[in-house]
Amino acid sequence: MAVVSFCGAVKIHRMKRIVILISGRGSNMEAIMRTAAAERWTAQIAAVISSQPDAAGLDIARAADIPTAVVNHRDYSNREQFDVALAAAIDPYQPDLVVLAGFMRLLTDNFVHHFAGRLINIHPSLLPSFIGLDTHQRAIDAGVKFHGATVHFVTSELDCGPIVAQAVVPVHVNDDAAALAARVLEKEHQIYPRAVHDLLEGRLVLREGRVVSAEVG
Ligand code: GRF
């Protein structure tokens, strides 16, 4: 906790809290963990929660002594019940930001509204192109010359929330989906930590449905 004295008044800044949701490998989660530690963010990763009990990312989080939990979607008969349990697992951490990092579940409107303005995702395409799955193969099939990744706020409409950050990579003529995915992933690991930190620090703000620099107007 940082205490700042300003003209006699005392302001108390609590550590910002991040909860990361994963379903698998967790390389974006790891990039955020590493950057937060290297740059000594005044923010902590309060918990990592997985929808899959065997997600490799859970081991990475445990090794870093980050509290982990599993909310297994197979234990719930429908999406609503799963999302209620997931929100109940997140809420005690009082997160400033809930970060979806390879979290492979569609979220209900109630969940999205509950975390509105503090729920972000990374999607492996230059949104609004290639919403949904299989983005790299679809980009190759479409013959696009540039592809990339997008960090965005989550809204009820899949992959359509306000864009926080994007990174662009070229598509090479001999690319297969795996080669292109690897090129994009390298960029994801750069833009996601940056975006998380910029939002936590208030350098980027959501204004009238768009994300803008706090310095602009
Ligand atoms: C990333 O490509 C991300 O864009 C997408 O799912 C993948 C997750 O990878 N949403 P990882 O689990 O962060 O390694």
Side-chain angles (χ1 to χ4, degrees):
M1 189 170 292
V3 181
V4 178
S5 177
F6 179 70
C7 295
V10 174
K11 269 188 175 177
I12 297 178
H13 295 282
R14 72 164 173 80
M15 282 281 261
K16 296 278 172 65
R17 282 189 285 267
I18 307 163
V19 169
I20 303 182
L21 306 187
I22 62 168
S23 298
R25 172 177 66 179
S27 70
N28 277 290
M29 172 205 74
E30 192 175 16
I32 294 165
M33 283 166 50
R34 280 182 195 280
T35 309
E39 297 179 355
R40 297 171 178 276
W41 292 1
T42 49
Q44 66 176 145
I45 299 168
V48 169
I49 300 174
S50 174
S51 62
Q52 294 281 355
D54 56 355
L58 284 171
D59 291 331
I60 300 170
R62 287 185 194 118
D65 287 329
I66 294 171
T68 60
V70 173
V71 182
N72 188 344
H73 65 96
R74 290 192 185 83
D75 293 342
Y76 301 90
S77 48
N78 59 47
R79 222 184 275 289
E80 280 73 24
Q81 284 175 15
F82 170 74
D83 279 7
V84 167
L86 184 61
I90 297 169
D91 276 339
Y93 294 103
Q94 298 184 293
D96 297 281
L97 215 47
V98 178
V99 174
L100 307 183
F103 185 73
M104 300 304 287
R105 307 298 306 164
L106 290 174
L107 296 163
T108 57
D109 286 357
N110 282 341
F111 185 95
V112 169
H113 287 140
H114 183 72
F115 293 106
R118 51 189 178 127
L119 183 61
I120 60 171
N121 181 43
I122 189 157
H123 182 75
S125 80
L126 290 173
L127 290 173
S129 293
F130 308 118
I131 287 165
L133 296 174
D134 217 8
T135 56
H136 307 303
Q137 188 59 53
R138 287 162 61 209
I140 290 168
D141 292 346
V144 297
K145 306 305 175 214
F146 295 96
H147 185 46
T150 303
V151 178
H152 65 95
F153 277 98
V154 176
T155 57
S156 295
E157 214 178 330
L158 181 68
D159 300 331
C160 282
I163 290 171
V164 181
Q166 290 186 305
V168 180
V169 300
V171 180
H172 300 319
V173 71
N174 292 325
D175 273 345
D176 59 13
L180 186 52
R183 196 173 307 125
V184 170
L185 192 64
E186 211 180 306
K187 292 288 187 186
E188 292 184 33
H189 295 166
Q190 294 167 10
I191 63 169
Y192 214 5
R194 216 41 321 109
V196 167
H197 200 207
D198 285 346
L199 289 168
L200 286 174
E201 294 288 311
R203 287 188 287 269
L204 291 178
V205 290
L206 194 50
R207 202 171 282 159
E208 292 165 17
R210 290 167 70 181
V211 177
V212 294
S213 163
E215 288 162 15
V216 178

